[in-house]
Amino acid sequence: MKRIRSVLRGREGMTLVELVVSAGLLCLVIAVFSASLRPAAEISRRTQELNSAELIADDLLETVRSRVETATEYIKCYENGADITDRTGSSSGSAVEFGTSNAVELLTADGCAETAIMVGSRPAGTEAAVEKGYLLERYYDNSTGVFYSKNADGTPCARALAQTYAKGFYMGLRAGLYFELDESGRTVTATVTIFRDADMTDAVFSDSLLIDLRYDIPVKTGVTAQQRPAA
C-alpha cells in the first residue's frame, strides 16, 4: 500500500501545453463532426420540403379540377387575376374564369385587394385582402351576361370571395397557377408551381393536370367583367 501511494505521489499531471493541445484536438474533432452533419440535415430538410410541396400541389390541382369541370356557360383565362375589370380574355393565363348556371367563378393565386361583398346592388360586408401565392375563389352574379367586378368608386366587389385554404395549409410555401385552354373548349391544363419565397422566384415543385370539361362550351375572349356605373 505504501508503494502504491509512493508511485501515485511521484506521477506528474498534464502540463498546460498538453492541456491546450488536447482541447484543440477535441475542438477540431467536434468541428469536423458538425460539418459532416450539416449536409445531411440540409438534405433532410429539402426532402421534407419537396414532400410538402408535392402534397400541396396535389390538393390544389384536385380542388381546381373539381371547380373547373362544372363550367356550363363559357370559359376564359386572364394574364393576371388580381384585376380583371375591362380585361379581354385569352386561352392561357394565371387565372381562369368560367360560367355556371347561376354565377361566374374566378380561380387564381394572384391575390386581391379588400373586396366589397354585394348582393345585387346592396353591400353585404367586406372580405379581407388575399396575398399573392394562395388559391382564392371569387363569385359574381351572371344574370345579365356581364358582371361587375368593381363598384362605381373603383373598389373591388364580388358576390362572394373565399381563400380556399388557410395559410397553414401551405406550410410556409406559396403556389402559382397557370391555365391553358384547348381551343375546342373541351379540356383545360392546370399547372401548379410551389415556391419557397414570397416573391415566387425560387420554385420547389411543379405539376400539371389535364381537366376534361363535362360540357362543350365556348372559349370567350371578350370583356365580361365591368365597373359598376355611377348611380
Side-chain angles (χ1 to χ4, degrees), residues 5-231:
R5 290 174 181 164
S6 176
V7 171
L8 290 175
R9 282 197 298 269
R11 291 189 61 184
E12 296 182 355
M14 293 182 65
T15 66
L16 180 59
V17 173
E18 290 173 333
L19 184 61
V20 170
V21 171
S22 299
L25 289 173
L26 180 61
C27 290
L28 180 61
V29 170
I30 293 174
V32 171
F33 183 69
S34 298
S36 67
L37 287 179
R38 279 196 293 270
E42 179 63 15
I43 290 172
S44 176
R45 186 189 70 80
R46 292 277 180 165
T47 300
Q48 181 59 48
E49 184 180 63
L50 178 60
N51 291 338
S52 299
E54 290 179 356
L55 290 173
I56 294 168
D58 286 346
D59 279 356
L60 290 177
L61 285 172
E62 180 58 28
T63 297
V64 168
R65 181 200 62 75
S66 67
R67 304 294 194 272
V68 172
E69 68 179 7
T70 63
T72 58
E73 304 299 320
Y74 73 90
I75 192 164
K76 66 188 289 192
C77 291
Y78 294 100
E79 290 183 4
N80 190 324
D83 184 2
I84 61 173
T85 306
D86 295 328
R87 300 287 194 270
T88 56
S90 65
S91 59
S92 63
S94 60
V96 63
E97 175 192 300
F98 52 92
T100 61
S101 58
N102 60 356
V104 166
E105 182 172 357
L106 177 79
L107 292 176
T108 185
D110 291 328
C112 70
E114 183 179 72
T115 299
I117 302 303
M118 306 292 293
V119 178
S121 59
R122 294 184 296 104
T126 59
E127 286 289 345
V130 178
E131 296 178 47
K132 184 177 180 179
Y134 306 116
L135 177 64
L136 65 88
E137 303 170 62
R138 297 173 71 102
Y139 296 89
Y140 301 92
D141 180 18
N142 191 33
S143 57
T144 62
V146 297
F147 60 87
Y148 298 123
S149 55
K150 284 183 180 178
N151 282 327
D153 60 1
T155 60
C157 66
R159 194 175 81 175
L161 166 67
Q163 182 173 312
T164 312
Y165 297 97
K167 283 188 178 180
F169 163 80
Y170 297 89
M171 293 178 276
L173 303 170
R174 300 213 182 197
L177 297 177
Y178 191 76
F179 301 93
E180 292 180 279
L181 307 180
D182 176 32
E183 291 183 0
S184 67
R186 291 293 297 165
T187 63
V188 180
T189 301
T191 300
V192 173
T193 303
I194 306 300
F195 298 89
R196 293 185 179 92
D197 59 322
D199 293 332
M200 298 175 65
T201 58
D202 189 5
V204 180
F205 177 77
S206 185
D207 196 12
S208 298
L209 178 67
L210 183 65
I211 303 170
D212 291 315
L213 301 178
R214 297 176 183 175
Y215 305 96
D216 288 317
I217 55 176
V219 176
K220 277 194 176 182
T221 57
V223 172
T224 51
Q226 299 180 0
Q227 182 167 327
R228 193 183 300 273

